[in-house]
Amino acid sequence: MRATIKDVSALAGVSTKTVSRVLNREKYVSEDLRQRVEGAMAQLNFQPSAAARMLAGKRSHQIALIYGSQSPHYIHQIQTGIWARCVEEGVRLLAQPSDPDSPDLALEVGGLIDQTQVDGVILSAPVTDSEAALDELDRRGMPYVRISPGTDHGRSSSVSMDDVQAADDMTSHLIELGHKRIGFIIGHTNHAASDLRLFGYRRALDRAGLAYEPRYVRQGYFDFASGEAAAEVLLDLPNAPTAIFASNDDMAAGVLAVAHRRGLALPEQLSVAGFDDIALAGQIWPPLTTVRQPTREMAYAAAALLFEGVEGAVHRRIAHQLVVRASTAAPSA
Amino acid sequence: MRATIKDVSALAGVSTKTVSRVLNREKYVSEDLRQRVEGAMAQLNFQPSAAARMLAGKRSHQIALIYGSQSPHYIHQIQTGIWARCVEEGVRLLAQPSDPDSPDLALEVGGLIDQTQVDGVILSAPVTDSEAALDELDRRGMPYVRISPGTDHGRSSSVSMDDVQAADDMTSHLIELGHKRIGFIIGHTNHAASDLRLFGYRRALDRAGLAYEPRYVRQGYFDFASGEAAAEVLLDLPNAPTAIFASNDDMAAGVLAVAHRRGLALPEQLSVAGFDDIALAGQIWPPLTTVRQPTREMAYAAAALLFEGVEGAVHRRIAHQLVVRASTAAPSA
DNA sequence: TTGTACGCGTTATCAT
DNA sequence: ATGATAACGCGTACAA
């Protein structure tokens, strides 16, 4: 038989309201009573009914994470980060996968909120950019935080990394090593970060006084194959780059594969750099130098932002980190 | 303003209980009324309150997935599979990461159940083997299904793949290609599947009339480094294997790395096989031949088992699949 | 600082 | 096949 507040109150010799106060850590409870109540709760192994709390109160002690078609590793990082903050807050996490392109995404979101009465919602890219879903959230006055939104940055609180600076840092790192011909593979055009990373690459070149050479820049699509294709073209160039910087790690893995096939020694003959968006290539081919994307930290910060209940659209930027491995070296040519 | 059952019943001109019946797809509602009620629900965009349903009823329309320290990819497959079945059932999924080695895992599990009143629980390895957690579940009479349990198979319903057969299949495949010296790298000793896979390897050898050579078998620990180490030893052998079969893909990746370093042509000079437990190596090094572990299918089946509410400890075995790529070829030596 | 009475929105029980 | 009414276990509002 599950113990209820009534049982606790009887055992402790206080009113149910007092027990409720202790449970919710409200002020105005004497130390004396608090102890008695906590003792009784422990003795009965009292566990509050989430259902009753939701129904009676305003809060549900639950938040939802809505995520879409990202890589498993990315999603896992997101979940882990949010989870960590939720535990601190004593809040449960409802996982809600969803298709960002589905026409009834908005309905799903609306239904989720109306049914579960979650206290807040965290959106992970690319669901972050669904107008309809956001409208649904706004209409209900539901607090929400977006992680790495691609558009409409002023619309809600959000958390993201500084893609421009990250690409700039990596490019600068290569320049400092002495590279003058640095290839760059652009990410998928439908991803906002792609432009930002390209911009960071150009900014670093500019600052260093190196000319921007369009032929060293190839369009990719965030997948292994497009990385391979781009690398083939770049390495066939008359004055081939001594370093190639790919906008994500799947493409960087493609570059590495091509380098292997061509018998290029890494990093002596070619420096390869990327982002560890999915932390894949870096594990198998440790020689890849990467920008570590602070996914887990962003997620944690997003949850924190939600619980802090700040006013207006607060933006929080999380620092990235350059993981320099043996793969970047001074150019030999 | 959210619409309630009362609103719906008023609009439809029926009692609240009838609306409840329609909502829960109960029998004994005339087609006529059902239509009226459903019309009213749609018109008001009625969304039932999960909290109220839980409090009043016996079901919570929620199940929990408890998972531990698996690879992100594995966890993602699990979640995806369960989610798919939950959607069909109109049930929400509560994600509950947890440390399988934590002393208060049982308390967490108990608290989760008492607080959320979930309808059932799915345990994913290695949480599946926590005596204390299982006890807690049993004590409450909570239905649960385990995915790939390592021990105590009769204790609850469970779902798993046939590790013995899978390893047998792969080994047989190599034998059929003509390989007579097949190296094997054992998985981590604390993982039940390790023994089973070794057994499958031996069984295939036996059946083919090939002698089991202990020197072709090395102990590994499911990680990249142990795969490398084992490969170094195996390839240094006087009569080195013409094929190496690793018990998981991290180790197989290690084998591939060593082969690369030694300039061995794949698959001409060495065939490499593994399990895609984390589906990692197979993506980056397509030439790896693998046993595809049906993780998502197992998860789906686990949820199905839960919803079917079968009596006793039912075990369901999910079929694996041999993904043969260019990496296995007839031996050259 | 503590207690009382009521209501949250649904399902269960029992009646019809 | 349908309806009336009483729980479910907590938080809120107000009183003391």
Side-chain angles (χ1 to χ4, degrees), chain B residues 154-219:
Chain B
R155 180 160 182 177
S156 75
S157 286
S158 60
V159 175
S160 58
M161 72 177 286
D162 193 338
D163 282 287
V164 174
Q165 189 59 49
D168 185 328
D169 286 351
M170 178 63 87
T171 309
S172 300
H173 165 71
L174 294 169
I175 293 173
E176 278 164 24
L177 286 175
H179 291 278
K180 301 213 180 304
R181 303 193 303 279
I182 303 172
F184 186 81
I185 308 178
I186 309 173
H188 200 293
T189 46
N190 70 8
H191 197 308
S194 297
D195 290 339
L196 301 175
R197 292 176 186 179
L198 175 60
F199 183 79
Y201 162 77
R202 296 193 63 160
R203 193 172 74 182
L205 290 182
D206 280 354
R207 204 179 40 246
L210 291 175
Y212 171 75
E213 299 257 14
R215 63 200 192 102
Y216 288 152
V217 177
R218 305 293 305 177
Q219 179 69 52

Side-chain angles (χ1 to χ4, degrees), chain B residues 91-158:
Chain B
V91 158
R92 305 240 172 241
L93 180 62
L94 220 44
Q96 177 78 25
S98 64
D99 176 7
D101 300 322
S102 162
D104 33 49
L105 170 61
L107 271 83
E108 280 175 25
V109 172
L112 172 74
I113 295 171
D114 288 340
Q115 288 178 24
T116 66
Q117 310 244 263
V118 289
D119 301 332
V121 173
I122 295 178
L123 287 313
S124 138
V127 190
T128 44
D129 303 326
S130 160
E131 274 277 357
L134 265 36
D135 287 345
E136 211 68 21
L137 255 10
D138 281 333
R139 170 163 358 135
R140 290 171 173 74
M142 173 68 47
Y144 63 98
V145 176
R146 294 183 292 158
I147 300 177
S148 293
T151 59
D152 223 347
H153 289 257
R155 180 160 182 177
S156 75
S157 286
S158 60

Side-chain angles (χ1 to χ4, degrees), chain A residues 115-190:
Chain A
Q115 287 178 25
T116 66
Q117 311 243 264
V118 289
D119 301 332
V121 173
I122 295 179
L123 286 315
S124 138
V127 190
T128 43
D129 303 327
S130 159
E131 274 275 357
L134 265 37
D135 287 344
E136 212 68 18
L137 256 8
D138 281 334
R139 169 160 2 132
R140 291 171 172 74
M142 174 66 50
Y144 64 98
V145 177
R146 294 183 291 158
I147 301 177
S148 294
T151 59
D152 223 345
H153 289 258
R155 179 159 183 177
S156 76
S157 286
S158 61
V159 175
S160 59
M161 72 176 288
D162 192 337
D163 281 288
V164 174
Q165 188 60 49
D168 185 327
D169 285 352
M170 179 62 88
T171 310
S172 299
H173 166 70
L174 294 169
I175 293 173
E176 277 164 25
L177 287 175
H179 291 278
K180 301 214 178 307
R181 303 193 303 279
I182 303 172
F184 185 81
I185 308 178
I186 309 173
H188 201 292
T189 45
N190 71 7

